[in-house]
Amino acid sequence: MAEEKRATLYRMVLPDHVCPFGVRARELLLERGYDIDDQVLRTRDDVEAVKARFGVATTPVIFVGETRFDGADALQRALADR
């Protein structure tokens, strides 16, 4: 049975700033055919809540299945190995 290609992406899209790393992570997932649950963080409070929830200093935070990747670089490395 083929692997389900699902991912959850937490990324910052504020009125005055769109995180380029979140955009890159989304593009990487789309290029690989993932169905993305795109959790757009629209306020600083949303961003801070996600950072606290996952214990990270920055976004994006990406889940592919149960595996978490902190940042677009980590995601890119993992996808290159698949």
Side-chain angles (χ1 to χ4, degrees):
M1 183 172 175
E3 170 191 359
E4 273 195 75
K5 296 184 94 171
R6 295 183 171 271
T8 302
L9 170 62
Y10 295 87
R11 64 188 183 103
M12 181 183 351
V13 180
L14 302 178
D16 61 339
H17 177 72
V18 176
C19 175
F21 300 104
V23 171
R24 188 163 131 237
R26 185 173 183 278
E27 289 172 353
L28 288 167
L29 292 166
L30 288 173
E31 286 170 5
R32 292 292 191 117
Y34 280 84
D35 178 27
I36 304 168
D37 178 9
D38 197 358
Q39 297 292 310
V40 176
L41 311 173
R42 299 191 187 280
T43 68
R44 287 276 174 206
D45 287 344
D46 290 346
V47 173
E48 293 306 317
V50 164
K51 288 169 33 178
R53 177 179 173 191
F54 297 117
V56 296
T58 62
T59 60
V61 177
I62 308 108
F63 286 88
V64 175
E66 298 296 317
T67 305
R68 184 176 104 189
F69 301 97
D70 297 337
D73 290 344
L75 176 65
Q76 185 172 19
R77 285 190 299 273
L79 291 177
D81 293 340
R82 288 181 179 230

